[in-house]
Amino acid sequence: MSTLKRSRRAVLLGTLAALALGATACGSSGSSSNPLGGGSTASSGSAASGGTGGSGGSGGTVVVGSANFPENVLLGSIYSQALKAKGVKVEEKFNIGSREVLYGQLQSGNLTVLPEYNGALLAYLDAKNTAVTTQDVNAALTKALPASLGILDSSPAEDKDSLSVTQDTADKYGLKSISDLAAKAGEFTIGGPPEFKSRREQQFKDVYGLTFKEWKPTADTTANALKDGSIQVGNVFTTDPKIVQYKLVALSDPKNVFGAQNITPLINKAGVDANATAALNAVSAKLDTAGLTGLMKRVSVDKEDPSAVAKDWLKANGLG
């Protein structure tokens, strides 16, 4: 995410940062990205076409776009290659820029498909909406989007805030969900962005009954602080590759303190036919958070080419 992504959410939707996700932001520089953050100007990425046969869009071509951070480029490549495997003619326009730019390009028909994050997209369209579950967020999105645009099936994969612990801490105290922290929170130090305490302390008390011993502003070093033991609980994004690197456990959030951020195809309806829709929905059915986090380790830590990583994932899941 760079300024977009890898100060890891230094700004979540540019000027809409505090509203978009309602949540905190900050991550490690090697992580995936900010769900379409930052209000930068567009810089068109490379274009490639492939496949034969048709699907909607100008000249029968589906134009797959992405924001300018590694995770979104990877997702765009997964979408693109999945479509090509079904005979759809595809053009790729990756690394374009922020949501403000991408959304306008989709509305104009210059782009056909984007990998989006449903909660952040809803915050962009309707900042006052309070939906938090996947079902409610998608229902609200369907109402908020103009008639020309739509969403396809959301994947289980989410790039969102979490409270994470080390595997050793999870095993020692039997921690699987945020609820399980109630008995030990008073002995634990929690870390996250500088603003994390002011935004979340009361919410954790009210919703989960958690009162932590201490709050530390660990910012981009949160995952490292978990690893070295200077904190016991940390605000780490769920697709941060350090979750895999450091064997961290992102605790489940059964009461939805952190709203849904499911990766979801956003489409210009005129450019996507039934064949393309089926291909994209098949990707969503297979993509989960743990799998995406593993892919992001290959991209951001191991420095593998996103296109090659996407190809491997599609082949392994019978989609390429």
Side-chain angles (χ1 to χ4, degrees), residues 103 106-107 121-122 124-125 138-152 265-267 269:
Y103 188 79
L106 197 75
Q107 283 187 300
L121 178 60
L122 179 60
Y124 174 73
L125 296 171
N138 286 349
L141 267 179
T142 300
K143 293 180 179 179
L145 287 167
S148 61
L149 304 184
I151 55 171
L152 301 182
L266 177 65
I267 63 166
K269 294 177 183 178

Side-chain angles (χ1 to χ4, degrees), residues 182-223:
K184 301 301 296 183
E187 303 172 28
F188 287 169
T189 297
I190 183 171
E195 69 275 15
F196 191 53
K197 184 175 189 282
S198 63
R199 290 182 180 177
R200 296 294 187 181
E201 183 176 25
Q202 192 60 49
Q203 192 175 20
F204 286 136
K205 287 180 181 179
D206 293 344
V207 177
Y208 283 111
L210 304 181
T211 301
F212 290 98
K213 181 175 82 171
E214 183 183 357
W215 291 69
K216 283 189 176 181
T218 48
D220 287 356
T221 67
T222 300

Side-chain angles (χ1 to χ4, degrees), residues 35-103:
L36 303 186
S40 60
T41 56
S43 58
S44 293
S46 60
S49 61
T52 58
S55 184
S58 176
T61 298
V62 169
V63 184
V64 180
S66 87
N68 56 345
F69 58 87
E71 181 179 284
N72 212 247
V73 172
L74 171 65
L75 292 167
S77 190
I78 289 173
Y79 286 0
S80 172
Q81 293 184 51
L83 289 166
K84 292 176 186 178
K86 293 300 182 181
V88 178
K89 186 178 180 182
V90 175
E91 181 180 357
E92 295 174 352
K93 291 186 177 180
F94 297 162
N95 286 304
I96 292 175
S98 67
R99 176 173 287 110
E100 289 83 351
V101 174
L102 288 163
Y103 188 79

